[in-house]
Amino acid sequence: MSKAFDKININCLINSCKRIGIPQEALNFIKFLHQDRKAKTITAYGLTDPISLYSGIEQEETFSPLLWKIYYDPILSYINNKHKSKFLKIKSNSPLDLIFSNKPQSITIPPLAFIDDTVWHCESKENLQEILQDVSELYQLNNIQVNPLKSDLLHISLILSNSKNSSLYTYQDYLIQSSHQQLNTSSKSVLYLRKKLINYQAL
């Protein structure tokens, strides 16, 4: 994301706070902290005249990460609820499963986020494209900007191929390309990953 804290819409932040039941006194305090703010820009010739700030929260404040989490959580919750069946599912035997010979339970990996970094795990290109479309619309509604040129796409497949073909994904007006790069299949790490993928498919 680009300047996540600076782009926060204060009205949307207040609505997100109401969503989790924050009392009105605290809402008034948050509004008070973020109204009638001014800032100056440091230049080689000194400070500029004050300019008014109409969005964003303070980068260095200790409560800012918490406000960002409250602000971003509705997007993650909506995507998770709508696309839960499309996220990556894994199976693994826990120690209790091994002891009692139970079948491993399937676990869905939800959207993972840390501050302004988000990871989406999907089982197919089509599912990922649908999620990106909804995410794009929600980001625009909440004044969140993402730089697709700095986004990473990792494609893991059990089928090893030397094909130079690429998968294309769209985000807003950008194309994100997934390149199939040739790996050193004799390395220990690749052999270990291949073994794990084969075991996963056998479950």
Side-chain angles (χ1 to χ4, degrees), residues 168-193:
L168 292 177
Y169 299 77
T170 60
Y171 177 83
Q172 295 183 8
D173 295 328
Y174 292 87
L175 288 177
I176 302 176
Q177 185 176 33
S178 171
S179 298
H180 298 278
Q181 299 181 357
Q182 186 174 1
L183 299 177
N184 179 9
T185 56
S186 62
S187 68
K188 291 183 179 180
S189 59
V190 172
L191 291 175
Y192 175 80
L193 178 60

Side-chain angles (χ1 to χ4, degrees), residues 7-201:
K7 297 292 184 179
I8 287 182
N9 183 298
I10 301 303
N11 291 329
C12 291
L13 173 62
I14 296 301
N15 290 334
S16 297
C17 291
K18 291 179 180 179
R19 169 177 172 266
I20 60 175
I22 292 181
Q24 186 61 46
E25 293 80 2
L27 297 179
N28 294 338
F29 181 65
I30 294 173
K31 288 181 181 179
F32 174 76
L33 288 176
H34 298 94
Q35 67 183 10
D36 299 327
R37 295 178 299 154
K38 295 184 180 297
K40 296 181 180 181
T41 302
I42 301 175
T43 71
Y45 304 98
L47 297 177
T48 64
D49 294 333
I51 57 174
S52 298
L53 303 178
Y54 299 103
S55 65
I57 57 179
E58 302 299 327
Q59 290 275 1
E60 303 299 330
E61 289 290 352
T62 55
F63 56 76
S64 292
L66 177 59
L67 291 181
W68 167 256
K69 182 176 181 179
I70 294 172
Y71 184 77
Y72 194 42
D73 185 67
I75 296 177
L76 296 177
S77 298
Y78 176 84
I79 295 296
N80 185 56
N81 292 334
K82 180 177 180 180
H83 298 283
K84 189 171 185 178
S85 62
K86 301 173 184 176
F87 288 117
L88 183 65
K89 300 174 183 61
I90 61 174
K91 290 183 180 180
S92 179
N93 292 97
S94 68
L96 289 178
D97 291 332
L98 296 175
I99 293 172
F100 296 104
S101 300
N102 295 330
K103 292 183 177 180
Q105 299 295 318
S106 177
I107 301 175
T108 300
I109 301 180
L112 305 177
F114 179 76
I115 307 299
D116 57 352
D117 293 324
T118 307
V119 179
W120 314 97
H121 297 90
C122 300
E123 295 184 335
S124 71
K125 171 186 175 181
E126 292 74 20
N127 290 343
L128 178 58
Q129 186 61 75
E130 291 181 20
I131 291 173
L132 288 177
Q133 181 62 36
D134 283 348
V135 168
S136 173
E137 295 176 3
L138 291 171
Y139 281 178
Q140 291 182 41
L141 287 173
N142 290 275
N143 202 32
I144 297 175
Q145 291 185 348
V146 172
N147 185 354
L149 300 180
K150 294 183 178 180
S151 299
D152 295 322
L153 179 61
L154 176 63
H155 179 206
I156 300 177
S157 175
L158 182 61
I159 302 175
L160 299 178
S161 172
N162 293 327
S163 172
K164 300 298 183 179
N165 294 332
S166 299
S167 298
L168 292 177
Y169 299 77
T170 60
Y171 177 83
Q172 295 183 8
D173 295 328
Y174 292 87
L175 288 177
I176 302 176
Q177 185 176 33
S178 171
S179 298
H180 298 278
Q181 299 181 357
Q182 186 174 1
L183 299 177
N184 179 9
T185 56
S186 62
S187 68
K188 291 183 179 180
S189 59
V190 172
L191 291 175
Y192 175 80
L193 178 60
R194 184 194 301 178
K195 180 180 178 182
K196 287 295 183 181
L197 288 170
I198 292 174
N199 290 338
Y200 164 73
Q201 189 184 52

